[in-house]
Amino acid sequence: MKSTLKDLGLTPNEISIYEALVKLKGSSSAGDIIKLSNLHRNIVYDCLAHLATKGLVQEVEKNKKKFFN
């Protein structure tokens, strides 16, 4: 999967976050993604924003908390 995501132009950090989301299966908080990817929270939030812009991640707000699909 990494080579396919790299071919799509994703950075190594974006690939790690995308893979974490796939492993988490479904709607996940940024905290869950941070724990699984072992990346700094700022990096995770920046990459999630980039992935959302590229249409690869969807952001949903539930009870004033953000979740990502």
Side-chain angles (χ1 to χ4, degrees):
M1 177 175 13
K2 283 186 182 187
S3 62
T4 303
L5 294 172
K6 189 175 181 180
D7 290 343
L8 291 172
L10 271 62
T11 66
N13 287 339
E14 290 172 339
I15 291 170
S16 295
I17 291 166
Y18 189 85
E19 289 178 331
L21 276 169
V22 170
K23 287 178 186 175
L24 290 167
K25 297 181 184 174
S27 191
S28 305
S29 68
D32 293 334
I33 299 165
I34 291 166
K35 288 176 190 173
L36 192 58
S37 67
N38 292 318
L39 294 170
H40 190 275
R41 69 182 297 279
N42 290 345
I43 292 170
V44 171
Y45 278 107
D46 286 345
C47 288
L48 285 169
H50 288 130
L51 291 169
T53 301
K54 294 176 182 181
L56 297 172
V57 171
Q58 183 181 32
E59 183 180 310
V60 178
E61 190 170 321
K62 297 177 188 175
N63 298 326
K64 298 183 181 181
K65 188 173 180 182
K66 291 182 182 180
F67 290 87
F68 303 89
N69 300 321

